[in-house]
Amino acid sequence: MLTLADDLGHLSYVVAGDGPPVVLVHAGVADHRMWDAVVPDLTERHTVVRYDLRGFGESAPPSGPFRETDDLRRLLDHLGYERVRLVGASWGGRVAVDFSITHPGRVHSLALLAPPQPGYDWSAEMVAYDEAETAALASGDLDAAVRINLDMWLRGPARRWEDVAAGLADRLRGPLRTSLVNQGVVAEYSQGVTKGDDSAISAPALVGIGKLDVADFQDIGRRYASEIPDAALVEFATAAHLIALDAPTELTALLGPFLAR
């Protein structure tokens, strides 16, 4: 991977393919490798940029205050991309939303896969998950915290582990562990996202939700699709929260024509 160094550490990224640039922003329980299955198809027509958010994957944990949207802007400036197609999953989707609001002229189109929304009134199920993860980390049981997150975000509430594709849990376990190790310092220094006006997003948008995901995120996805003026909602019948892992073939078939617009 390549690195972009700054005063707070460095961001790691990888570039492949040729054509109009597409930037993939990973989920908060993963890293750039969550996109492995979709990249080959995308690089047939696009230059595909994947990077690890600060404190994830091979990017250094932050050593001072930062904003994820500022990191994305610096990366685009570094690569010489004035305008890009953005695809964000989960927390990466919210980063993409915030970037689209704060830098509207730099976003050609926007694809959001199960993004969160600031201020959402979380269900009892989500509160219980958060409390269980917090308790596991507080007791120093990192393995338990990993299992709790795999159950919530990969398996999801609507299926058994035997229904999850073989090997996905093993692929996600390492990136998830890294994210949990760095979670405290990232939370300490991240300035978070701005609760901007989603209706101000002028770029065409695609919002994807997994039908096997937590109900909260299905509801949030529908909200985004109704609030963003030029947005379409797509449901993935076989996916939980991490659509790029559960349904890469369906996702690339959808992204191909959307990104070509």
Side-chain angles (χ1 to χ4, degrees):
M1 293 188 75
L2 303 171
T3 58
L4 172 60
D6 59 24
D7 293 340
L8 301 178
H10 71 268
L11 296 175
S12 295
Y13 67 95
V14 60
V15 181
D18 186 44
V22 175
V23 179
L24 309 178
V25 192
H26 64 78
V29 292
D31 61 22
H32 75 281
R33 290 172 289 181
M34 74 167 288
W35 304 107
D36 281 354
V38 306
V39 167
D41 282 345
L42 295 182
T43 54
E44 292 181 4
R45 295 185 178 181
H46 297 278
T47 300
V48 178
V49 179
R50 293 181 286 165
Y51 73 105
D52 288 334
L53 294 165
R54 207 176 288 272
F56 292 83
E58 296 185 33
S59 290
S63 59
F66 75 101
R67 285 193 183 278
E68 283 83 355
T69 50
D70 290 340
D71 285 342
L72 178 52
R73 176 183 52 79
R74 279 193 290 268
L75 179 61
L76 298 188
D77 290 346
H78 172 71
L79 294 171
Y81 298 144
E82 180 59 32
R83 202 158 180 251
V84 300
R85 292 149 171 83
L86 270 183
V87 181
S90 192
W91 174 242
R94 185 60 218 185
V95 173
V97 167
D98 204 31
F99 189 84
S100 299
I101 294 172
T102 56
H103 303 284
R106 305 200 68 169
V107 180
H108 178 275
S109 59
L110 178 66
L112 306 172
L113 307 174
Q117 191 171 52
Y120 186 79
D121 186 15
W122 297 109
S123 66
E125 180 181 18
M126 282 294 296
V127 172
Y129 148 76
D130 183 66
E131 291 175 345
E133 182 201 71
T134 299
L137 292 174
S139 69
D141 194 343
L142 187 58
D143 289 338
V146 169
R147 288 194 299 272
I148 289 165
N149 277 276
L150 287 174
D151 278 338
M152 175 61 76
W153 305 121
L154 182 57
R155 179 175 61 83
R159 60 182 175 180
R160 303 165 300 171
W161 270 113
E162 47 265 46
D163 299 322
V164 178
L168 288 186
D170 289 338
R171 282 176 53 195
L172 192 60
R173 189 171 282 108
L176 175 54
R177 193 178 187 89
T178 298
S179 75
L180 290 170
V181 167
N182 293 329
Q183 181 171 276
V185 68
V186 170
E188 176 184 358
Y189 287 125
S190 174
Q191 302 301 290
V193 296
T194 303
K195 180 56 178 97
D197 182 3
D198 296 338
S199 67
I201 295 176
S202 57
L206 188 69
V207 182
I209 59 175
K211 291 293 289 179
L212 304 179
D213 197 1
V214 183
D216 299 55
F217 279 91
Q218 296 186 51
D219 179 48
I220 290 170
R222 295 186 180 97
R223 291 189 181 197
Y224 274 117
S226 66
E227 292 168 357
I228 298 173
D230 186 9
L233 179 71
V234 178
E235 299 179 349
F236 292 83
T238 62
H241 190 67
L242 302 173
I243 295 169
L245 294 181
D246 278 331
T249 301
E250 295 88 339
L251 179 59
T252 53
L254 185 71
L255 286 178
F258 176 72
L259 297 176
R261 293 172 60 179

